[in-house]
Amino acid sequence: MNVQRSAAEPAAAAVAVPEAVSALDGAGQEAGHGTGSGQGSGRRAALVPIVLVVGGGLSVQFGSAVAALLMPKAGALGVVTLRLVAAALILLVVCRPKLRGHSRADWGTVVAFGVAMGGMNTLFYQALDRIPLGIAVTLEVLGPLALSVFASRRLINVLWAGLALVGVVLLGGGGFDRLDPVGAAYALAAGGMWAAYIVFSARTGRRFPQADGLALAMVVAAVLSLPLGIWESGAKLTVPSTLALGAAVAVLSSALPYTLELMALRRLPASTFAVMMSLEPAIAATAGFLILNQALSTTDALAIALVIGASMGAVRSRTGARRKG
C-alpha cells in the first residue's frame, strides 16, 4: 500500500459512496421496470447496508488491534486523542462541511453525536488497556443489544437479539471472573455510549448530506479528547512513528468505519443495526488472534457461530419484511 495515500483515500472513497449507492439504486429500479428483474435488484439493494456494516466492523476492530500495539507508546487517552484528531482532520479536508444553514436542532444533534463518539472511544480504550480486546468488545456490545430489544417492535428481532446475547456471554465464558473489574466497568459504560452513538448517528445522517455531520461531530469528539490526551501523554504524541500509527488507527477505527455506519443507518432500522453490532465480538476475537496472538478456543468458535447466526437472522427478517411490504 502506498503509505502517503493511505490516510486520505479510504475516507474519500467512503464519503463518495452515498452518491454511488443512490445511483445504483436508481439504476436497479429502472432495470427492474424494463426487464422484470426488480425483485433481484431490490434484494441486491437490501444487501448494500449489510456490506457497509460488516466492512465498518472489520475496519474498526482491526484498527483497535493496531491501537492496542500503540498504547505502550502513547497511553490509552493518548491513542484516543491521536485517533479522533487525525480522523477529524481527514474528514474536514475530504468533506469540507458547511457551517452555515443549519438549525439549532441540527447543531444539537451534531454535538450529542460528538459527545457520544468521544465518550465511547475514551471509555473503550480505558477498557482495552485493562482487559483483552475480544472480551472488551463482548461487554461493550451489550449496549447495542439492549438498544435492539428496546427499539424493536417485532418479537422475532427480540429473539435474534437474545440469541446474540447468548453468544456474547459464551464468548466471554471462563474469563469474566478473572477480569479487572474497572476494565469491565469501562467496557459496559462504553456499551451505553455505543447505543447513544447509534441513535445520534442515525439522526445526524438524516439531517446532514453525505458525511458532513460526521465530520463536524468528529471535531467535537476530538476537542473533548484533546486535553485528556495531552494530560496523559504530552510530548509522546509528537513522536513521528507514534503519529504515523495514530493516523493509521484514525482511518481504520474512525474515519472509514464511522462513515460506512452512517451510510448504513440511512437504510437500516436502528434495531436491526444494533443486532448486527453483535458481529463485533467475533471480528474482535479474530483481530486479537491475528494481530495480538490471543488464541481462540472451541467455545469461542461456538460463540462466534451463534453471534453470526443471530445477525444473519436479523438481516433475513428485515429483508423478508421489506419484500412483504
Side-chain angles (χ1 to χ4, degrees), residues 1 17 33 145 197 214 235 241 275:
M1 178 181 292
V17 170
H33 287 304
L145 283 173
Y197 160 86
L214 173 62
S241 60
V275 172

Side-chain angles (χ1 to χ4, degrees), residues 113-281:
F113 186 22
V115 170
M117 193 186 306
M120 176 180 67
N121 280 276
T122 300
L123 293 167
F124 176 73
Y125 278 92
Q126 288 294 317
L128 187 58
D129 196 34
R130 294 168 172 81
I131 58 179
L133 174 61
I135 295 178
V137 178
T138 297
L139 290 172
E140 187 191 25
V141 83
L142 295 178
L145 283 173
L147 174 64
S148 175
V149 171
F150 289 121
S152 176
R153 297 181 180 180
R154 301 184 64 207
L155 177 61
I156 187 64
N157 285 340
V158 177
L159 294 176
W160 289 128
L163 179 61
L165 179 59
V166 171
V168 164
V169 173
L170 188 60
L171 187 61
F176 290 148
D177 58 339
R178 298 189 300 273
L179 291 182
D180 179 338
V182 176
Y186 275 129
L188 290 171
M193 297 303 291
W194 195 357
Y197 160 86
I198 292 173
V199 172
F200 288 107
S201 179
R203 293 180 182 179
T204 300
R206 290 192 293 267
R207 287 181 174 272
F208 290 82
Q210 299 184 41
D212 286 9
L214 173 62
L216 296 172
M218 191 72 74
V219 172
V220 173
V223 169
L224 292 176
S225 71
L226 189 58
L228 297 175
I230 293 175
W231 171 73
E232 181 182 70
S233 304
K236 295 179 181 178
L237 299 179
T238 62
V239 176
S241 60
T242 300
L243 285 172
L245 278 176
V249 171
V251 172
L252 288 172
S253 294
S254 294
L256 180 58
Y258 291 168
T259 302
L260 295 178
E261 290 175 0
L262 183 95
M263 291 157 50
L265 277 164
R266 287 173 174 163
R267 297 166 170 272
L268 281 175
S271 57
T272 302
F273 181 90
V275 172
M276 287 200 68
M277 289 297 97
S278 60
L279 282 171
E280 299 283 347

